[in-house]
Amino acid sequence: MSNLQQRVISAIVMAAVTLTLTWLGALPFRLFCAAIAAAIFYEWTRMCRSAAGATLGFLPEALIATFIVALIAGLPALWLLLLVAGLAAIVAVAARLKGAAQWEASGLAYAALSGFSLAHLRDDNHAGVIAILFLFAVVWATDIGAYFVGRAVGGPKLAPSISPGKTQSGALGGAVGGVVAGLALAIVAGGGNLAMLGLAALALSIVSQIGDLFESWVKRRHGCKDSSNLIPGHGGVMDRVDGLVAAAFALYVIGWIAAGADQPAMGLFPN
């Protein structure tokens, strides 16, 4: 089977599983978010740990496991955020005492906030379904628009020292595609404030592209081409969700400001 065939099959399977679990919500979706957090943490530590450097033993793994249990149990948002801050602080202090780099602490925070944002955006209501679908529409359209516009138009590179393949034209095309897709989803779903949702879609598209560049920087910093080989034809989970999880956290913050920490989707798509 060719690499292209593997990519297509993997993409179809991932999309089907993701949309099914998004529709189900509740415990199945929290388990899905927990799996994403665990995979991101695994790939982050796989890339960033030095065999010759100081190690923290199994402390980071024990702490990310603590977060995952709390996430699956449905701990309220603010308590979960305090837990993430506390766990990351413990790892940071341990790394400092051992003379190790702070990659473990940043990886734990990155992985935990990724799972947290998706889980609490979805919550267990209709607004959560629409908010997650809005997120998917913006991020996926941004990726597609950036790829095709970048290939068709070319031009100056966006960040050549981090990701040589990305162009400024692609970034602009991705942003336009993300806004159009987000507004289309909002209109179909009966979203009220389209001006606000259009601005939100633009912000998410930009954050998504920054998240993509951030993951590329981490890989380049540690000499990795892919974060792992967990997904046939695609590389690692981080390679697939880098922009998504960054945008998810941004959308969570927007919803938190609008409606509170525990039901952020209600601030975006009130019933």
Side-chain angles (χ1 to χ4, degrees):
M1 184 181 297
S2 69
N3 184 263
L4 177 59
Q5 290 174 317
Q6 286 185 329
R7 288 179 66 87
V8 171
I9 293 172
S10 295
I12 293 172
V13 171
M14 286 189 295
V17 170
T18 299
L19 292 174
T20 299
L21 293 174
T22 297
W23 179 258
L24 292 174
L27 180 60
F29 191 74
R30 290 202 302 275
L31 288 170
F32 177 60
C33 295
I36 289 176
I40 289 175
F41 184 74
Y42 162 74
E43 293 180 351
W44 183 285
T45 54
R46 177 181 175 272
M47 288 192 297
C48 299
R49 281 179 181 168
S50 170
T55 64
L56 304 180
F58 288 103
L59 176 65
E61 282 79 2
L63 295 182
I64 194 68
T66 301
F67 164 78
I68 287 171
V69 170
L71 179 67
I72 294 172
L75 197 69
L78 289 179
W79 285 107
L80 202 53
L81 283 171
L82 287 172
L83 178 64
V84 172
L87 297 178
I90 291 171
V91 177
V93 170
R96 186 172 183 82
L97 292 175
K98 290 246 184 180
Q102 292 293 338
W103 288 102
E104 301 273 0
S106 55
L108 188 147
Y110 179 67
L113 289 176
S114 299
F116 165 85
S117 302
L118 289 166
H120 281 274
L121 271 174
R122 172 58 180 88
D123 202 17
D124 291 326
N125 51 45
H126 177 70
V129 178
I130 304 305
I132 289 290
L133 292 178
F134 177 77
L135 173 71
F136 290 162
V138 173
V139 174
W140 291 348
T142 295
D143 287 345
I144 294 169
Y147 177 78
F148 284 106
V149 172
R151 286 179 64 89
V153 178
K157 300 298 182 181
L158 180 63
S161 63
I162 298 175
S163 184
K166 291 181 172 57
T167 62
Q168 295 176 19
S169 63
L172 180 59
V176 172
V179 171
V180 169
L183 285 175
L185 188 284
I187 291 169
V188 170
N193 192 339
L194 293 181
M196 184 272 286
L197 291 173
L199 289 174
L202 177 60
L204 295 186
S205 181
I206 293 170
V207 170
S208 171
Q209 296 188 62
I210 292 172
D212 193 350
L213 288 172
F214 171 71
E215 198 250 355
S216 295
W217 174 78
V218 172
K219 289 191 297 184
R220 185 171 289 272
R221 173 68 174 73
H222 293 91
C224 297
K225 182 179 183 297
D226 294 316
S227 55
S228 77
N229 295 308
L230 290 178
I231 305 174
H234 285 272
V237 172
M238 284 179 65
D239 297 322
R240 295 300 95 207
V241 304
D242 46 12
L244 177 69
V245 295
F249 184 68
L251 188 59
Y252 174 82
V253 171
I254 293 171
W256 181 359
I257 293 170
D262 284 309
Q263 290 189 317
M266 295 296 292
L268 301 162
F269 297 96
N271 293 328

